Amino acid sequence: FAWQHEFVAFNKLAKEDQLGRDIKLSNGNVASRILPIKIHDLDAEDKAIIENEIGGVLRAIEFIYKEAGVNRPLKSTDNKADNQNKTDYRNQVNKVANAIKEIIQALKSPASKAYVNLTQESPSGVARKSIGKKVGWGTMGLMILFAVIYAVSQYVGSPQEKTEVIEKSIAVLPFENMSGDASQEYFSDGISEEILNSLAQIEGLKVTGRTSSFQFKGKGMDLKEVGEKLGVATILEGSIRKQNDQLRITVQLVSAKDGYHLWSERFDRKVTDVFAIQDEIAQAVSSKLKLTLLKPGNEVKATKAINQEAYDLYLRGRFFFNQRGEGLIKGLDLFKQSIKADSTFSQAQAALALNYVIMSYYYMIPTLHGIEEGKKYAIAAIQLDPRSSDAYTALGFIELHFERNGPKAKANLGRALELNPNNAVAKAQMGMYYLFIEDDSDKAIEFCLEATKDEPLYFVNYASIAAAKYAQKKPKEALEYVEKGLEISKTSVLLIDWRSRCLWTLNRKSEAIETLEKGLALTGRHQNLVASLCKFLMDVGEKDKAVELYAELNNRKANEYIASFNLGRVAYAMGKEEEAKKMIIKAYEEKNSGLLNRALYSELIAFIDKLNLPK
């Protein structure tokens, strides 16, 4: 009764009255006069019903207390430290108060044009002077009746400044898992990413990369702020509910500028239709934004049917692959299982190639093995799908960092960008090609800055810019970019290494050493950082500590892969030049990636050059 005669009835009334349900606030955001407050988690089915009624994703101020086996309303006496959500009662009360205040101010100030009816024109003849009196009672009555619902932002900090907004641009936020099963998170994340990849094929549409879009997962941020941080004009968001072989995907396209709904749709299909749904969504967005799919004669074909088991394993693999670190080990196994289930699945082949490449770059596996496997799967992916941008990216990465073949690296990365102009990884690697192969730091920075537009919150882009700035003998500017990247990822081995190098060059030696010592704790004592710290300790005369690190790396060789390049760096720092020579030559034979990064490991340049290794 309450649902039909109170909630649904008010929703209908609010859409049709002179005020309208959706109110434009003074800051330009759009808020609903229906203000959800969650006092406990909703069943997935109930949430779907509510979202269907309000025509969008449910964003609510949450008053939920959670601990093992407990899901109840938050109390003022609850200690937020004991709450799994870490929710503070008074902060939530303040959010409600501010939300109510903003809506009432917008409703009471018609002269400032602060409110708009987004659903229907105001009936002619309605006396505006009556609005002021109706506002207080109407709005407050609603709050008392419905415990107040509001789609409010939960602002979280971001290290980046506002990015220039491109008119035809979009970010795909991770779709919400509404299956009522946390283990299905990989599926909702995976479908979101696949839709993003489909949109990336649309000519003239700027699509923010997955890494940046997924930074906002679970943060409930205001879409206007998300749009500003990512530099996009539109945002695609939605929810996914998967039960057995049934699938419901709810999608909505929203203007980031004012929160206005441009398009929404609900798809109720079988799981086997998931590929068709992805294509439909891409086509609908393309039509709504008046764009054309690719160039004439080069259209995107409908996604071919894929073995469901293979596709599910692939999505699970992507879930772990995107976590990096130890997630790469799980991703490797799942991608292999996916290919075993369907050897014609090109996306799994390309993903496995990239997985091998990244693990090789960070010395998680022997480099030669990673290169061999990475090449094999990248070539297989291209044979199955000549338009696989990821596969060409993997080949370009291998040719650049391991094979040191400039022309082939440039050709493969160029092809990757031709197939997907939004491929931020390929763009940044093209920047590294210009830095490492052509010694053109200006061109490198140009490509890397373009990559940050595609992926404003991808920390590796900032390491790439820092490398180019450092090569220009601008360590202070390089450090600024490193710090931006570390605000996104505090555990990045590459950024920690670069931070210590910049600080050392700026004669802030104690800070450089402290950076590496803290970095060891954050990264599980990554071998790159152990080697860098050994060098710095020797330079400041702390030989005993350096000897301990030298012994540590040599002892770890028995149980894990330690790159010959790192063993050579440490031996050189310890003054063991014959051993260093032996290890560096072996590193060259093993194709260790560190040999190319002459700026980061500048103390070795003269020593390596004396070895007269082939270019």
Side-chain angles (χ1 to χ4, degrees):
F1 183 92
W3 170 258
Q4 287 295 333
H5 297 280
E6 295 176 358
F7 186 87
V8 174
F10 179 81
N11 189 36
K12 182 175 184 296
L13 178 66
K15 289 180 180 179
E16 297 172 353
D17 68 17
Q18 70 268 32
L19 299 175
R21 186 190 65 185
D22 301 307
I23 308 299
K24 191 167 186 178
L25 306 179
S26 58
N27 62 8
N29 291 341
V30 174
S32 172
R33 281 164 62 199
I34 300 177
L35 303 171
I37 289 182
K38 288 172 67 176
I39 59 173
H40 60 79
D41 282 338
L42 298 171
D43 291 336
E45 186 173 352
D46 289 341
K47 187 176 180 187
I49 292 171
I50 293 173
E51 291 187 333
N52 185 58
E53 173 62 25
I54 64 177
V57 175
L58 179 68
R59 294 189 190 85
I61 299 175
E62 297 193 349
F63 281 80
I64 302 175
Y65 180 89
K66 272 190 177 180
E67 61 181 45
V70 176
N71 174 21
R72 62 163 173 79
L74 184 68
K75 300 176 182 177
S76 59
T77 54
D78 286 327
N79 187 336
K80 69 176 182 180
D82 299 328
N83 181 3
Q84 288 179 1
N85 288 341
K86 299 292 185 282
T87 305
D88 182 88
Y89 181 87
R90 291 183 180 277
N91 285 347
Q92 302 306 85
V93 170
N94 197 45
K95 282 184 181 179
V96 176
N98 284 327
I100 294 168
K101 178 182 177 182
E102 281 188 294
I103 292 177
I104 292 178
Q105 284 179 335
L107 290 168
K108 292 178 73 174
S109 304
S112 65
K113 307 294 184 186
Y115 69 92
V116 291
N117 185 336
L118 297 179
T119 55
Q120 178 177 310
E121 292 293 332
S122 298
S124 59
V126 173
R128 288 287 180 189
K129 63 183 180 181
S130 66
I131 291 177
K133 293 181 179 179
K134 293 182 179 180
V135 165
W137 289 109
T139 308
M140 293 307 295
L142 168 65
M143 293 167 188
I144 295 168
L145 183 62
F146 294 121
V148 191
I149 292 194
Y150 180 48
V152 71
S153 320
Q154 296 184 29
Y155 291 93
V156 294
S158 166
Q160 313 315 323
E161 297 172 357
K162 291 181 182 179
T163 308
E164 180 185 355
V165 175
I166 299 170
E167 182 183 356
K168 292 183 178 180
S169 56
I170 192 169
V172 180
L173 298 187
F175 286 15
E176 187 173 356
N177 171 29
M178 295 181 62
S179 302
D181 180 2
S183 66
Q184 292 293 317
E185 199 78 12
Y186 78 92
F187 189 81
S188 55
D189 280 4
I191 297 300
S192 309
E193 186 174 359
E194 290 301 295
I195 291 171
L196 185 154
N197 292 335
S198 295
L199 291 173
Q201 298 179 65
I202 299 177
E203 182 188 17
L205 180 63
K206 190 77 169 176
V207 183
T208 298
R210 185 252 183 223
T211 306
S212 295
S213 294
F214 275 55
Q215 292 283 336
F216 301 97
K217 182 175 179 178
K219 294 178 179 177
M221 286 183 66
D222 173 54
L223 294 185
K224 182 179 180 182
E225 187 178 2
V226 172
E228 288 174 347
K229 290 181 183 299
L230 297 180
V232 295
T234 53
I235 293 172
L236 190 75
E237 60 177 357
S239 61
I240 295 178
R241 183 184 179 196
K242 177 174 176 269
Q243 286 191 338
N244 300 321
D245 66 340
Q246 296 298 313
L247 189 65
R248 169 175 288 180
I249 300 181
T250 302
V251 188
Q252 60 181 2
L253 183 66
V254 181
S255 168
K257 182 179 180 180
D258 54 18
Y260 186 74
H261 287 66
L262 303 173
W263 165 78
S264 63
E265 187 66 72
R266 190 178 77 186
F267 301 87
D268 288 300
R269 307 282 178 82
K270 294 209 177 272
V271 172
T272 51
D273 295 328
V274 66
F275 313 113
I277 296 174
Q278 292 171 16
D279 292 336
E280 281 184 51
I281 292 171
Q283 292 282 357
V285 170
S286 173
S287 175
K288 194 66 187 178
L289 299 180
K290 295 181 174 60
L291 298 166
T292 305
L293 284 177
L294 291 180
K295 298 177 180 178
N298 208 20
E299 287 79 11
V300 176
K301 295 180 181 179
T303 309
K304 84 177 189 73
I306 298 167
N307 177 291
Q308 282 299 311
E309 180 188 2
Y311 189 65
D312 191 75
L313 288 164
Y314 165 75
L315 292 183
R316 291 177 187 270
R318 293 293 306 189
F319 181 77
F320 288 108
F321 171 81
N322 288 318
Q323 295 175 13
R324 298 295 194 264
E326 295 300 311
L328 291 169
I329 298 171
K330 294 180 180 179
L332 197 73
D333 180 57
L334 287 162
F335 291 140
K336 286 180 179 179
Q337 290 183 49
S338 176
I339 293 168
K340 187 176 180 181
D342 184 355
S343 61
T344 68
F345 188 13
S346 64
Q347 287 171 273
Q349 305 267 7
L352 184 55
L354 282 171
N355 206 112
Y356 269 116
V357 164
I358 295 171
M359 292 181 79
S360 302
Y361 183 79
Y362 287 104
Y363 305 137
M364 295 178 69
I365 54 176
T367 308
L368 285 175
H369 172 68
I371 294 170
E372 181 182 359
E373 294 298 294
K375 264 189 174 180
K376 179 177 76 176
Y377 287 108
I379 291 170
I382 291 169
Q383 288 173 342
L384 291 166
D385 178 12
R387 301 188 57 76
S388 175
S389 180
D390 281 350
Y392 280 106
T393 301
L395 284 179
F397 199 106
I398 289 170
E399 297 292 354
L400 176 62
H401 292 278
F402 307 121
E403 303 284 3
R404 296 176 286 279
N405 187 325
K408 281 190 176 182
K410 186 178 183 181
N412 282 314
L413 292 171
R415 180 59 176 155
L417 288 172
E418 181 183 338
L419 293 169
N420 178 9
N422 296 294
N423 188 333
V425 176
K427 207 167 284 184
Q429 290 309 312
M430 187 67 91
M432 293 301 92
Y433 159 80
Y434 279 103
L435 180 64
F436 294 150
I437 305 300
E438 297 199 6
D439 195 25
D440 187 342
S441 56
D442 289 332
K443 193 74 172 175
I445 290 171
E446 181 183 326
F447 269 97
C448 292
L449 286 174
E450 280 297 314
T452 62
K453 292 179 182 178
D454 296 326
E455 284 275 25
L457 302 180
Y458 185 36
F459 62 89
V460 175
N461 289 337
Y462 297 97
S464 300
I465 298 172
K469 289 289 185 181
Y470 190 88
Q472 292 179 335
K473 301 189 185 306
K474 298 177 180 177
K476 189 174 180 180
E477 290 183 31
L479 182 60
E480 290 174 1
Y481 280 99
V482 169
E483 300 291 13
K484 284 185 178 182
L486 283 170
E487 287 180 20
I488 301 169
S489 174
K490 298 185 185 304
T491 59
S492 166
V493 171
L494 192 57
L495 285 166
I496 292 169
D497 218 356
W498 266 117
R499 184 174 195 271
S500 67
R501 175 64 58 175
C502 291
L503 289 169
W504 187 267
T505 305
L506 292 168
N507 205 30
R508 295 161 62 179
K509 296 185 177 181
S510 60
E511 291 178 70
I513 290 172
E514 183 183 5
T515 293
L516 290 171
E517 289 174 338
K518 288 182 177 178
L520 291 179
L522 290 170
T523 63
R525 301 191 70 78
H526 194 279
Q527 57 178 285
N528 287 14
L529 304 186
V530 173
S532 295
L533 181 57
C534 182
K535 189 267 178 193
F536 287 167
L537 289 173
M538 283 296 296
D539 284 357
V540 296
E542 296 192 37
K543 186 175 180 180
D544 291 344
K545 289 184 179 179
V547 168
E548 290 178 11
L549 294 175
Y550 174 71
E552 176 188 332
L553 279 189
N554 279 283
N555 291 335
R556 283 166 60 175
K557 281 194 300 181
N559 300 310
E560 63 179 287
Y561 175 65
I562 301 295
S564 295
F565 178 70
N566 278 330
L567 293 172
R569 289 173 61 203
V570 172
Y572 183 75
M574 301 294 294
K576 302 175 183 291
E577 291 202 10
E578 280 305 310
E579 184 177 344
K581 178 180 177 181
K582 178 182 174 183
M583 287 295 105
I584 293 297
I585 292 173
K586 190 176 179 182
Y588 182 87
E589 294 168 351
E590 291 177 357
K591 300 183 179 180
N592 288 168
S593 58
L595 285 166
L596 199 63
N597 205 337
R598 294 164 70 88
L600 185 55
Y601 310 120
S602 55
E603 70 276 4
L604 286 171
I605 292 176
F607 179 71
I608 292 174
D609 287 346
K610 287 179 184 178
L611 301 179
N612 293 317
L613 297 171
K615 296 295 183 185

